[in-house]
Amino acid sequence: MPPRKLVTGALLAAGSLAGSVLVRRRAARRRERVDLYAEDGSMHSFAEGTVEADRLLPLAHEILAAQ
Amino acid sequence: MLATMDAAQAIADLTEISPQVRQVAAVGADGSVLGSNLSDESAAAQLVERARRLLDTAEELRPGIAQIEAATIDGSVFVVRDGERLIAATTTPEPTVGLVFYDLKTCLRSIDPPKPKRRPAKKKEADDAAA
């Protein structure tokens, strides 16, 4: 295989890998969650799909929908 | 120490320094709305009632909650408690969480506490009667 094709292939592979990492990072950041901060300084984070988030997120949606 | 001010001024300052904050309402120890940037009083009461429900539900799940951030795709909801008082706010999506919490706490603490009712000066009257 000519070296030029090899370089092009490697660049395409690297580009798509970087793109997928960016998309996954963005998607993870956009995931809904609830963070509860306790008086003792501890923090619990509940991502959507957990029992806690499923009880709290609808209330947050209700507040935001009223805007 | 923070200088105290009226709720309207504190909330105006908050929304000026924190453009991520959309709606905000502060609640006194007696549950009354101290101030809000909502033009409609019933909308402010509704925001407070829903924020209180969010806090109560969070308390059921984890007792001893001081503050909450519920992050959704449409924006975030923040509730901060300071003693018996609390402040609730909505923000744009992906806010700077630490800054918003700091600004909300500062706003709540800068609001004048309600003035206690003055008691009649009974001791002086009793002294005058004795003289």
Side-chain angles (χ1 to χ4, degrees), chain B residues 9 11-19:
Chain B
Q9 185 60 53
I11 285 170
D13 288 353
L14 167 71
T15 50
E16 193 186 327
I17 60 165
S18 187

Side-chain angles (χ1 to χ4, degrees), chain A residues 17-52:
Chain A
L17 184 70
S20 73
V21 167
L22 277 176
V23 167
R24 283 171 69 177
R25 271 194 193 170
R26 199 173 169 80
R29 216 172 41 198
R30 283 194 157 258
R31 222 172 150 206
E32 298 195 338
R33 60 170 168 73
V34 180
D35 292 343
L36 302 181
Y37 298 78
E39 283 158 356
D40 63 8
S42 63
M43 191 272 265
H44 297 275
S45 189
F46 302 105
E48 58 181 318
T50 60
V51 177
E52 290 85 351

Side-chain angles (χ1 to χ4, degrees), chain B residues 27-31 34 52 55 80-87 108:
Chain B
V27 189
D30 60 355
L34 295 172
R52 177 71 70 182
L55 187 64
V80 175
R81 182 156 62 184
D82 185 42
E84 291 297 305
R85 303 202 293 177
L86 68 89
I87 189 163
L108 189 58

Side-chain angles (χ1 to χ4, degrees), chain A residues 29-39 44 46 52 55-57 59-64 66-67, chain B residues 22-23 47 50 53-54 57-58 60 62 64-73 75 77 90 94 101:
Chain A
R29 216 172 41 198
R30 283 194 157 258
R31 222 172 150 206
E32 298 195 338
R33 60 170 168 73
V34 180
D35 292 343
L36 302 181
Y37 298 78
E39 283 158 356
H44 297 275
F46 302 105
E52 290 85 351
R55 280 191 66 189
L56 296 166
L57 282 173
L59 297 171
H61 281 291
E62 217 179 289
I63 293 170
L64 291 162
Q67 292 188 123
Chain B
R22 286 174 177 163
Q23 298 182 321
L47 170 64
R50 286 171 173 156
R53 207 143 39 97
L54 183 66
T57 309
E60 282 172 27
R62 302 277 155 159
I65 297 296
Q67 51 194 46
I68 301 170
E69 186 220 354
T72 78
I73 291 161
V77 176
T90 62
E94 296 179 36
F101 272 132

Side-chain angles (χ1 to χ4, degrees), chain B residues 31-104:
Chain B
S32 61
V33 179
L34 295 172
S36 161
N37 67 342
L38 291 153
S39 52
D40 187 356
E41 261 182 47
S42 68
Q46 210 171 47
L47 170 64
V48 165
E49 189 263 323
R50 286 171 173 156
R52 177 71 70 182
R53 207 143 39 97
L54 183 66
L55 187 64
D56 291 345
T57 309
E59 269 291 326
E60 282 172 27
L61 298 166
R62 302 277 155 159
I65 297 296
Q67 51 194 46
I68 301 170
E69 186 220 354
T72 78
I73 291 161
D74 303 321
S76 284
V77 176
F78 286 82
V79 183
V80 175
R81 182 156 62 184
D82 185 42
E84 291 297 305
R85 303 202 293 177
L86 68 89
I87 189 163
T90 62
T91 69
T92 52
E94 296 179 36
T96 316
V97 178
L99 265 181
V100 174
F101 272 132
Y102 177 81
D103 290 339
L104 290 176

